[in-house]
Amino acid sequence: MIQEGPSSVTSPPLPFLPWMSLSPGLGSPFPWLRELKSEERGLYLIHLLVQCANHVAAGSLENANIGLEQISHLASPDGDTMQRIAAYFTEALADRMLKAWPGLHKALNSTKISSVSEEILVQKLFFELFPFLKLAYVITNQAIVEAMEGEKMVHIIDLNSSEPAQWINLFQTFSARPEGPPHLRITGIHEQKEVLEQMALRLTEEAEKLDIPFQFNPIVCKLENLDLESLRVKTGEALAVSSVLQLHSLLAPDDEMLRRNINSPSVSKNLNSSRPHRVLQVNQRTLGEWLEKEPVHIYSPSSSDLASPSPSPSSPLSLAPAPKLGSFLTALRALSPKLIVVTEQESNHNGPTLMERVMEALNFYAALFDCLESTLSRAPLERQKVEKMLFGEEIKNIIACEGLERKERHEKLEKWILRLELAGFGRVPLSYHGMLQAGRLLQTNNYDGYKIKEENGCLVMCWQERPLYSMSAWGFRRYD
């Protein structure tokens, strides 16, 4: 958790060491760098990363380049938690710097190959290595079963249809209903046709085994391009929607107006003025064991610096404009769904400034890297694939991209609650029985260190005490 402001600092300031500052002379690999203990190296990397990100944010690319060179002597994609994190954050910062030269950036990425099979594999690895999706599926399914009690025709819209295990579990629960299973139709949405083909084959086979009347309606498209008429919702169907880590992609607005405001002369002057740095203190397991001991100084303009009378964009109940999400939720509400279950990353990666996003992402992904560090050795290829192809790409999108290109705009539960309420949905408490099932899943599979917590009828999934994913359930709210 990040706490802001000088009052949050309880530890003495970091003693100055000659190697803690950025200088061109540190470009050579001094032997003592590699002799640092893990804690010293981790603390050093944190300071270098934050200083480097400050230079990138301020447009001082020469100093940022010096910082990247220094970090490269200590970071490693197969080292300890902090070394691995540093490797992916520096790659993201470097990618952002390269975008200052569009021709160079495009040339270096022109032959990049994106393998569909590799993307599918890394998603399956995330499902297998972490309990988060398993928990989301168990709780979502139980919420659907309870909402659909007595219904004879059930239609489920899966906004990210990629994992058959979720719906196979639901089939089994429905088949055990005393009144028999409903006629079940699942509309699966995914960018890759072959993913949906595999889903259709696997689910059809399972439905036949359990003698469940079943139809699968595949829709190949990105969520942002979905035409809700293609969902073919029929009269008499009870509708449920499952959104697992998808809605945040609809938060990407056209940021051109925001960029014009931030780049205006009056604002730029405030952003680049020499002013005391704010202090952020990060408190989190493992990485936090380093961070909580020492304050981290970063460049972070306040709302007054932005010369705006409106609330700070990072304040809990301030919402960035999201026309795509708004129109999507409005259209979804018009379908009168009985239930919508939303699972999202529990972190604010949608801040307007680079430094806000860097610090939030550093906290969030450090916890995910810690999860893997605690359960796997450092060598397995599966771990490296998840870190590079999933987490590394998300970090790069959060830090290096802006405007419509920045899709990983994760927001916290309190903002999702406000967005969905504004769209006309009413909150539905998540199933107590579903939470019990989720707790048993953690216990029986020895997922030590993982926890689930109930918050105002919603749920957060944690690593130790750090919330990482949230779940909330919603129903169609009629107006008098």
Side-chain angles (χ1 to χ4, degrees):
M1 184 172 73
I2 296 178
Q3 295 176 325
E4 191 170 334
S7 61
S8 67
V9 179
T10 57
S11 56
L14 182 71
F16 179 80
L17 298 173
W19 43 265
M20 291 301 290
S21 61
L22 297 181
S23 62
L26 196 59
S28 57
F30 290 113
W32 57 263
L33 279 174
R34 301 193 181 279
E35 294 174 3
L36 290 174
K37 295 178 181 179
S38 177
E39 181 173 339
E40 293 171 338
R41 182 178 59 231
L43 183 58
Y44 185 23
L45 277 169
I46 292 164
H47 279 263
L48 286 179
L49 272 175
V50 173
Q51 285 181 299
C52 183
N54 273 314
H55 287 307
V56 174
S60 179
L61 300 189
E62 184 177 349
N63 283 330
N65 181 61
I66 294 169
L68 292 178
E69 185 181 3
Q70 293 175 0
I71 295 169
S72 70
H73 297 307
L74 295 176
S76 170
D78 56 5
D80 62 28
T81 297
M82 196 57 228
Q83 287 179 300
R84 298 166 97 104
I85 291 168
Y88 294 110
F89 272 78
T90 52
E91 184 178 348
L93 289 168
D95 194 66
R96 187 181 179 95
M97 291 166 62
L98 277 175
K99 288 185 177 183
W101 295 274
L104 180 61
H105 184 267
K106 289 178 182 177
L108 289 174
N109 289 278
S110 62
T111 59
K112 185 177 179 180
I113 298 175
S114 179
S115 167
V116 174
S117 60
E118 285 286 292
E119 291 176 7
I120 296 171
L121 172 62
V122 77
Q123 291 293 337
K124 288 191 175 296
L125 287 173
F126 179 68
F127 174 76
E128 293 168 3
L129 295 176
F130 295 86
F132 302 118
L133 291 183
K134 298 183 184 73
L135 294 170
Y137 295 159
V138 164
I139 293 167
T140 298
N141 285 356
Q142 186 59 35
I144 291 174
V145 167
E146 293 179 12
M148 299 303 170
E149 186 176 355
E151 296 288 352
K152 295 181 179 179
M153 296 179 65
V154 174
H155 184 182
I156 298 171
I157 299 170
D158 184 358
L159 298 185
N160 183 33
S161 193
S162 60
E163 182 49 64
Q166 175 180 10
W167 305 123
I168 290 173
N169 173 267
L170 184 68
F171 287 177
Q172 294 167 348
T173 306
F174 270 147
S175 69
R177 286 202 321 185
E179 69 271 30
H183 184 285
L184 182 61
R185 189 153 67 97
I186 294 179
T187 295
I189 300 157
H190 200 277
E191 293 181 52
Q192 306 297 341
K193 183 180 178 181
E194 63 187 82
V195 171
L196 292 174
E197 288 174 345
Q198 292 173 13
M199 283 284 291
L201 179 63
R202 185 73 183 87
L203 293 181
T204 301
E205 288 176 351
E206 190 67 23
E208 288 175 354
K209 288 179 185 176
L210 297 170
D211 196 25
I212 294 177
F214 173 69
Q215 290 177 298
F216 187 79
N217 176 34
I219 300 179
V220 182
C221 75
K222 293 182 178 180
L223 184 59
E224 63 192 73
N225 299 326
L226 176 65
D227 178 4
L228 267 67
E229 290 186 5
S230 65
L231 300 176
R232 297 186 296 179
V233 177
K234 300 175 182 178
T235 303
E237 288 182 328
L239 182 64
V241 180
S242 171
S243 175
V244 179
L245 311 182
Q246 290 302 300
L247 286 186
H248 67 261
S249 67
L250 299 177
L251 288 172
D254 183 355
D255 283 351
E256 189 58 40
M257 184 176 295
L258 177 62
R259 282 198 298 273
R260 283 201 299 268
N261 290 337
I262 289 180
N263 292 329
S264 67
S266 61
V267 174
S268 297
K269 182 179 179 181
N270 284 324
L271 293 182
N272 293 308
S273 62
S274 57
R275 56 187 295 278
H277 294 301
R278 285 193 177 189
V279 178
L280 294 193
Q281 186 176 8
V282 186
N283 181 15
Q284 175 187 309
R285 179 189 176 274
T286 304
L287 175 62
E289 290 173 359
W290 298 319
L291 292 176
E292 67 187 1
K293 294 178 183 178
E294 310 294 347
V296 178
H297 299 268
I298 76 161
Y299 177 75
S300 177
S302 66
S303 58
S304 59
D305 292 326
L306 294 176
S308 170
S310 60
S312 168
S314 60
S315 65
L317 296 181
S318 174
L319 297 177
K324 285 186 180 178
L325 178 65
S327 60
F328 178 82
L329 292 177
T330 298
L332 200 60
R333 185 182 178 277
L335 300 176
S336 303
K338 288 195 73 172
L339 181 72
I340 299 177
V341 185
V342 176
T343 303
E344 281 292 335
Q345 290 89 343
E346 180 64 3
S347 192
N348 183 24
H349 296 145
N350 199 21
T353 68
L354 173 63
M355 290 309 300
E356 284 181 73
R357 302 202 302 268
V358 166
M359 296 307 293
E360 281 281 333
L362 187 59
N363 273 277
F364 181 79
Y365 288 98
L368 288 173
F369 277 66
D370 279 345
C371 294
L372 291 175
E373 180 78 4
S374 70
T375 55
L376 293 174
S377 66
R378 294 173 184 173
L381 184 61
E382 293 83 2
R383 176 178 176 180
Q384 293 178 349
K385 281 183 179 292
V386 170
E387 289 176 341
K388 178 173 178 59
M389 297 174 62
L390 184 60
F391 300 153
E393 289 302 308
E394 289 180 358
I395 291 167
K396 188 182 294 184
N397 188 264
I398 291 166
I399 292 174
C401 299
E402 296 295 348
L404 294 174
E405 189 183 7
R406 180 157 59 87
K407 303 294 185 184
E408 301 299 336
R409 294 173 175 263
H410 313 144
E411 291 189 340
K412 291 191 175 183
L413 177 60
E414 57 195 357
K415 289 192 177 182
W416 285 113
I417 289 174
L418 186 55
R419 289 190 186 279
L420 284 149
E421 286 179 344
L422 288 173
F425 292 100
R427 215 181 322 173
V428 176
L430 283 166
S431 164
Y432 176 72
H433 185 56
M435 293 185 189
L436 289 179
Q437 287 180 302
R440 283 197 295 268
L441 186 150
L442 291 178
Q443 189 174 18
T444 56
N445 289 277
N446 296 317
Y447 282 119
D448 296 332
Y450 294 94
K451 300 177 182 179
I452 55 174
K453 297 180 180 179
E454 189 270 339
E455 289 189 2
N456 300 319
C458 303
L459 178 142
V460 291
M461 296 176 268
C462 308
W463 168 247
Q464 302 299 338
E465 299 302 320
R466 172 59 157 108
L468 291 176
Y469 296 90
S470 68
M471 291 191 71
S472 56
W474 302 85
F476 174 72
R477 187 172 64 198
R478 289 179 172 82
Y479 296 112
D480 296 331

